[in-house]
Amino acid sequence: MKKINLFFATASIVMLAACSGGEKTTEQTTTEETIESVKIESASLQNVPQETTYTATVQPDKRNNISSSMPNRIKKIYVEVGDYVKKGQVLVDLDASTIIQQKVQLDNLELEYNRAKELVAVGGASQQQLDQITTQFEAAKTAYDNLMENTKLLSPVNGVVTARNYDDGDMAQGPILTVMQINPVKIVINVSETEFTKVKLGMPIDVTFDVFGDEIFKGRVSLIYPTIDPMTRTFGVEVEIPNGNYRIRPGMFARATVDFGSANRIVVPDRAVVKRAGSGDRFVYVYNNDGTVSYVQVELGRHIDTTYEIISGLEDGTQVVVAGQTRLTDGAKVKVVE
């Protein structure tokens, strides 16, 4: 009986040893299987063009609402929406009945004024009387001139009629027409605070419009807003664009490219940049000397051909994974392949 028990004990020890050895082999196999093969390249410091593209909507150079300073009936409107007009052109005639009455009053006061001057000269009236008549005459003349200006409404600019709000015979109160000067036109772009000192008056700007494809229109900086928006940390820059053929119209969507020169920046292949699922964060896997990789979040700049400018997160010479990132995790061991 003792021999049989000894046999079973020996067999149990052998089986445990065998099982133990088998588990060890499985763990080793699993570990080897988790070592991913990757390709790496070095981040490098390069001279990168600092061009930024901004979007904006085209605006007229000037927008004028044509209206009378007082309510009045419209006698005749001479233009329609879309008509091109010249500076000084008569656009609207208003009812002139009031101006006729004002002209009669002005003529009477002018006679009294001239008579008062003659009487003062011969001692027949006092200077105080002349001063009173003079004041009345000048006030009447100002009122008459104002009525004249508000009876015939003229265009203050060369432009195009973009709105007509009344018809002949209407009692107008407010803008009757809108005239826009569209040569030149302008756009306003919002430039970041960091570029404030780089923007100069007269600076050339390339502008494209979706409707015209890749055709480039040449603009220039015509105005730099004096303050920075504390909410967006940007400042407005007005860009003027010549429009002699009137191809560019207010309301068009524009893209303005501003050249801020160049700067030394870290650059990596765009294949190295990975987007974190569920967020807008970007990161790369950095290869370490011990054969592992580290997850590093980066701030991207411009996308240039097949590379990305890195604003922050990497240093010159850092080795980054450019292929094989799919199953990597932070701290994973990897094998570098050519």
Side-chain angles (χ1 to χ4, degrees):
M1 181 65 71
K2 291 182 179 179
K3 289 182 179 180
I4 294 173
N5 291 338
L6 180 61
F7 171 77
F8 281 113
T10 303
S12 298
I13 293 171
V14 172
M15 290 177 63
L16 288 171
C19 291
S20 176
E23 290 176 359
K24 184 175 182 181
T25 302
T26 302
E27 290 176 0
Q28 289 174 343
T29 302
T30 302
T31 303
E32 290 175 358
E33 288 175 352
T34 59
I35 298 178
E36 301 291 342
S37 296
V38 298
K39 293 182 179 181
I40 61 174
E41 291 187 24
S42 295
S44 60
L45 191 65
Q46 297 181 18
N47 198 34
V48 178
Q50 299 298 292
E51 289 187 349
T52 304
T53 299
Y54 302 90
T55 58
T57 301
V58 176
Q59 302 177 29
D61 186 55
K62 291 183 177 65
R63 182 196 307 266
N64 295 104
N65 291 318
I66 309 301
S67 62
S68 172
S69 62
M70 61 193 72
N72 201 349
R73 190 170 300 281
I74 298 172
K75 182 178 179 181
K76 180 68 176 176
I77 300 177
Y78 295 101
V79 293
E80 297 289 343
V81 172
D83 288 350
Y84 289 91
V85 297
K86 294 182 178 181
K87 183 177 180 179
Q89 179 179 334
V90 177
L91 304 180
V92 181
D93 270 339
L94 298 176
D95 181 58
S97 58
T98 304
I99 200 171
I100 294 172
Q101 298 173 7
Q102 186 66 34
K103 183 66 167 67
V104 172
Q105 181 183 356
L106 178 62
D107 289 344
N108 290 333
L109 284 171
E110 187 174 13
L111 289 174
E112 292 184 25
Y113 169 72
N114 291 330
R115 186 161 45 249
K117 283 200 302 183
E118 293 173 358
L119 290 174
V120 168
V122 298
S126 66
Q127 182 63 43
Q128 182 179 4
Q129 291 174 314
L130 176 60
D131 291 342
Q132 290 175 347
I133 293 297
T134 300
T135 300
Q136 294 174 13
F137 172 66
E138 290 178 349
K141 188 174 186 306
T142 299
Y144 175 76
D145 291 342
N146 184 56
L147 282 173
M148 285 290 290
E149 290 178 2
N150 286 277
T151 301
K152 288 186 179 296
L153 305 183
L154 313 180
S155 175
V157 296
N158 295 327
V160 61
V161 178
T162 60
R164 172 173 169 163
N165 303 315
Y166 292 95
D167 291 320
D168 296 351
D170 287 346
M171 178 62 72
Q173 184 173 8
I176 300 171
L177 301 168
T178 299
V179 175
M180 292 184 182
Q181 181 174 319
I182 60 173
N183 180 32
V185 290
K186 64 184 179 183
I187 58 175
V188 178
I189 58 177
N190 296 313
V191 180
S192 66
E193 181 180 2
T194 57
E195 310 294 354
F196 182 76
T197 59
K198 299 179 183 178
V199 179
K200 308 294 183 186
L201 285 175
M203 185 177 183
I205 306 291
D206 287 345
V207 184
T208 60
F209 303 91
D210 286 2
V211 68
F212 298 128
D214 295 331
E215 183 178 356
I216 296 176
F217 294 76
K218 297 296 183 179
R220 66 175 187 88
V221 174
S222 57
L223 178 66
I224 301 173
Y225 287 24
T227 58
I228 292 177
D229 187 326
M231 299 297 292
T232 63
R233 312 308 307 176
T234 61
F235 64 99
V237 174
E238 191 175 288
V239 179
E240 182 182 279
I241 310 161
N243 190 32
N245 51 15
Y246 300 109
R247 292 177 66 199
I248 307 170
R249 301 301 177 90
M252 283 185 174
F253 183 78
R255 304 176 193 273
T257 301
V258 184
D259 184 359
F260 293 113
S262 60
N264 286 328
R265 292 283 190 266
I266 299 296
V267 173
V268 299
D270 53 12
R271 295 174 297 156
V273 179
V274 181
K275 181 180 183 295
R276 174 189 282 178
S279 75
D281 295 339
R282 301 296 194 277
F283 64 92
V284 298
Y285 282 107
V286 172
Y287 180 71
N288 304 315
N289 292 332
D290 62 358
T292 63
V293 292
S294 300
Y295 160 91
V296 176
Q297 186 172 342
V298 294
E299 180 184 355
L300 299 183
R302 295 159 181 81
H303 189 210
I304 308 161
D305 296 328
T306 59
T307 63
Y308 266 118
E309 173 189 19
I310 303 298
I311 304 300
S312 64
L314 295 178
E315 296 181 356
D316 186 24
T318 302
Q319 293 181 311
V320 297
V321 177
V322 296
Q325 305 101 314
T326 308
R327 293 187 294 272
L328 293 184
T329 57
D330 191 24
K333 292 188 67 67
V334 296
K335 178 176 64 176
V336 177
V337 297
E338 296 296 330

